[in-house]
Amino acid sequence: MSVDTEPNVKQILSEIGAPVIVFDHVQLAFDDKVVLRDVSFTLLKGHTKIILGASGSGKSTALKIITGLLQADAGVVWVNGQRVDELTEKQMMAVRTDLGMIFQEGALFDSLTVRENVGYKLYEETDMPIADVDRRVEEVLGFVGLGEHINKMPSELSGGQRRRVAIARAMAFKPSILLYDEATTGLDPITATTVDDEIIKLRDIERVSSIVVTHQLRDAFYVATHMAVRGPDGKVVVKPASAEKEREAEFIMLRDGLIIFEGDADALRASTDPYILQFLS
Amino acid sequence: MLSLIERWLKSAALEAQEYVRLTRDALRAIVTRPYYKHDIVEQFDAIGWGSLTVVLLSGLFTGAALALQSGQTLDQFGARPVVGRLVSASMIKELGPVLTALMLTGRIGSGIAAELGSMMVTDQINALRALGTDPIRKLVVPRMLAGFLMAPVLTVISDFVGILGGWVVARFTLQVNSGLYWSSVTKGLYMEDAWMGLIKPFVFGFIIVTVACHVGLRTTGGTAGVGKSTTLSVVAGSVAVIAADFFVTQILMAVLY
């Protein structure tokens, strides 16, 4: 089934609460090392899925399977109504037009300026006029608060600024799904909060569905328990989320390639599982 | 011991398979859209123009040393005036293509492996794919085209400056008359030699770049992995050039002469 040939699918998927990513009994092993044993979850439109777990638990691997950077050994993966586990690299390019990924450490292209990095996809892979691309780049850099760094090279930026440029690059082509792979790892708490704020703003202001992979609890709970609203003056403010909004962020805890917990922030806090308690402590 | 050999054979077969796959995909990408024209121009500049100094210097000194050495040997037969013939034949058929290829392996082979290797370990290659760009089209094809087409150009330049270097030594050290040297250079040249000297660098340029791209794109293990890839690219590229020289020479001799 293709989204292009099924207009109804497109319409259904654009509604809040529609399943935009479905992971169904996915398994992956590298030689003898099993990374994902049997993982199933669903990301709903406009919601956030926070995947927690220790290093090597298979969190980043799950994201790479969604974007088609890795192929699962077994199981089915649906992205925006398309079954991606059986697509070729060429066919996957079409699916990626609606998927943005923020890599660990940013993965910015060191030989390109911030402007070229952020506008990369629009400059290289679309026919959008240069002036329009420039305008969009300036707009997204303004959104992440880095407008004045547009002509710098990535090496001239701090760690937090690099992550925010990576977010700007992923959102520049307006994807409806963003995947964050350890976007705040290695950052100090204050800088990490600025990155978390961007994740929240994108979810609540731009209505982007997101999967946040992290092992940093502080950031995971911050994203789950805060929301962004636009004030009467047009300014976006991040504030504690309402109880209903909080429930839209779901946690998944991975251990040895299996999901050992799935639920909202309150359920996670109330868990009595010894491993989860140790993780939370 | 047996499992060690088995593991080595498996990994060698995997490398060969991946190399063939990369080459096949790159060749397919050359004849289909999209093209990254800016990157192609950039690579022609980096690989062609950027290697000129190295090729000029190595060609000049090789020709000069060749004239010195062969002058001494030719003296034993009283044949010093034909030094030009020896220099031109050696430079055009063998030394020009092989030495230029080896210099290119050191310069661009290592650079490509280090650049692509760093991009691999920092997830930049995955980022390219996630942004909808095929890394083979964006990174391999421009380098492959530049290596394939610039190696022959650089070889011709190297041949010329090598013969020029030979002339400097022949004229000022061996005291051979200039006219005699240049007529000997042209007399010793046959069309078949020129073809051999011109066909070989196409093969070498292709090998150097594809080996470097393959090694670079298979890099794992952080910065230490990048170092290993860079070394491997130069070693494997040099050996492949010298081995290919033997086989291509044999084939061309059978076809041309």
Side-chain angles (χ1 to χ4, degrees):
Chain A
M1 178 177 57
S2 154
V3 172
D4 299 331
T5 55
E6 292 283 345
N8 285 341
V9 176
K10 213 167 187 174
Q11 196 189 334
I12 292 165
L13 285 168
S14 64
E15 287 168 13
I16 294 291
V20 284
I21 291 178
V22 180
F23 232 57
D24 192 11
H25 298 290
V26 174
Q27 299 171 23
L28 179 70
F30 296 119
D31 295 323
D32 300 334
K33 192 182 182 313
V34 179
V35 185
L36 297 177
R37 213 171 284 277
D38 183 8
V39 175
S40 303
F41 65 83
T42 303
L43 172 71
L44 303 179
K45 176 90 184 165
H47 287 211
T48 308
K49 198 71 121 178
I50 298 167
I51 306 183
L52 293 171
S55 300
S57 58
K59 311 182 297 287
S60 304
T61 307
L63 293 192
K64 286 185 175 160
I65 289 174
I66 293 168
T67 43
L69 300 177
L70 284 175
Q71 290 257 312
D73 293 337
V76 177
V77 182
W78 295 84
V79 176
N80 272 338
Q82 258 194 301
R83 197 176 154 176
V84 299
D85 54 287
E86 42 187 33
L87 295 186
T88 61
E89 176 77 4
K90 202 177 171 188
Q91 292 167 322
M92 198 62 212
M93 292 299 185
V95 178
R96 289 176 187 150
T97 55
D98 203 28
L99 269 180
M101 181 152 173
I102 291 90
F103 289 84
Q104 267 184 48
E105 314 285 335
L108 298 179
F109 306 127
D110 350 272
S111 55
L112 304 181
T113 62
V114 168
R115 177 198 294 276
E116 290 161 341
N117 260 287
V118 173
Y120 177 83
K121 190 178 173 89
L122 300 174
Y123 286 124
E124 295 277 356
E125 305 295 341
T126 66
D127 298 327
M128 196 189 253
I130 301 284
D132 292 352
V133 178
D134 285 343
R135 221 176 355 261
R136 176 67 184 152
V137 169
E138 282 157 24
E139 186 189 340
V140 288
L141 276 174
F143 186 85
V144 296
L146 292 173
E148 71 273 27
H149 300 287
I150 193 161
N151 291 319
K152 285 188 178 170
M153 298 302 284
S155 56
E156 296 173 73
L157 303 176
S158 70
Q161 288 171 334
R162 273 203 293 271
R163 306 293 170 90
R164 278 150 66 200
V165 171
I167 293 176
R169 182 176 68 181
M171 66 178 278
F173 54 96
K174 299 185 177 171
S176 71
I177 305 169
L178 279 177
L179 312 170
Y180 302 89
D181 187 4
E182 304 274 13
T184 56
T185 302
L187 301 180
D188 64 86
I190 295 167
T191 313
T193 306
T194 62
V195 175
D196 294 335
D197 285 343
E198 303 310 332
I199 298 174
I200 295 165
K201 277 156 60 183
L202 278 167
R203 179 191 64 198
D204 299 338
I205 306 297
E206 305 282 327
R207 309 304 302 165
V208 172
S209 320
S210 43
I211 297 184
V212 179
V213 156
T214 184
H215 63 260
Q216 293 192 288
L217 284 173
R218 201 199 67 88
D219 299 308
F221 278 105
Y222 186 87
V223 170
T225 59
H226 285 76
M227 61 192 269
V229 286
R230 200 181 284 280
D233 56 348
K235 265 191 144 181
V236 176
V237 188
V238 176
K239 62 176 196 176
S242 61
E244 191 190 350
K245 185 77 194 165
E246 243 188 60
R247 276 194 293 279
E248 285 182 9
E250 276 200 331
F251 286 82
I252 284 179
M253 171 91 64
L254 282 178
R255 185 188 182 188
D256 298 331
L258 282 171
I259 293 180
I260 59 164
F261 171 86
E262 193 167 8
D264 63 14
D266 286 339
L268 184 65
R269 285 194 201 97
S271 172
T272 53
D273 183 286
Y275 181 79
I276 295 175
L277 285 175
Q278 194 187 0
F279 202 91
L280 295 181
S281 64
Chain B
M1 185 64 190
L2 199 69
S3 77
L4 207 73
I5 295 170
E6 194 185 316
R7 212 177 308 151
W8 186 86
L9 283 173
K10 268 186 187 170
S11 99
L14 179 70
E15 288 299 321
Q17 176 194 306
E18 291 302 311
Y19 175 76
V20 171
R21 185 180 289 178
L22 175 82
T23 310
R24 183 202 64 193
D25 290 351
L27 288 174
R28 199 175 286 165
I30 286 177
V31 292
T32 51
R33 296 168 77 85
Y35 299 109
Y36 295 91
K37 291 185 195 118
H38 176 77
D39 295 270
I40 294 174
V41 173
E42 206 171 73
Q43 288 307 317
F44 269 82
D45 179 52
I47 291 177
W49 182 250
S51 306
L52 196 60
T53 315
V54 178
V55 167
L56 280 176
L57 288 173
S58 59
L60 185 77
F61 287 113
T62 306
L66 195 64
L68 267 184
Q69 293 275 18
S70 48
Q72 203 179 35
T73 313
L74 289 172
D75 267 353
Q76 294 171 14
F77 310 101
R80 189 185 273 194
V82 296
V83 66
R85 196 171 178 151
L86 220 140
V87 169
S88 72
S90 310
M91 277 307 292
I92 289 172
K93 282 203 287 187
E94 197 61 40
L95 286 174
V98 173
L99 283 178
T100 306
L102 291 178
M103 297 311 286
L104 288 179
T105 311
R107 195 185 163 273
I108 61 167
S110 59
I112 290 172
E115 189 181 358
L116 300 193
S118 312
M119 289 183 80
M120 267 310 277
V121 299
T122 54
D123 260 340
Q124 290 179 53
I125 301 284
N126 273 338
L128 271 181
R129 291 173 64 201
L131 287 164
T133 297
D134 179 354
I136 291 179
R137 290 180 187 278
K138 171 91 178 157
L139 302 170
V140 179
V141 167
R143 285 164 177 79
M144 198 193 239
L145 284 174
F148 181 72
L149 295 173
M150 291 318 287
V153 175
L154 290 166
T155 301
V156 170
I157 294 169
S158 170
D159 291 346
F160 178 71
V161 291
I163 295 169
L164 203 68
W167 168 74
V168 173
V169 170
R171 173 70 189 80
F172 298 103
T173 310
L174 303 175
Q175 309 300 331
V176 174
N177 177 282
S178 289
L180 205 58
Y181 177 85
W182 287 110
S183 72
S184 154
V185 162
T186 47
K187 252 185 217 159
L189 266 187
Y190 297 96
M191 209 49 214
E192 290 83 0
D193 299 341
W195 278 119
M196 181 172 282
L198 210 58
I199 293 170
K200 277 186 190 179
F202 280 104
V203 180
F204 297 160
F206 180 82
I207 290 174
I208 296 163
V209 175
T210 48
V211 167
C213 287
H214 165 73
V215 171
L217 290 174
R218 302 264 304 155
T219 305
T220 52
T223 44
V226 176
K228 274 186 201 159
S229 287
T230 311
T231 311
L232 180 64
S233 161
V234 175
V235 173
S238 309
V239 173
V241 160
I242 291 168
D245 180 48
F246 172 71
F247 292 112
V248 174
T249 304
Q250 266 198 331
I251 294 168
L252 290 177
M253 275 179 145
V255 175
L256 293 172
Y257 293 90

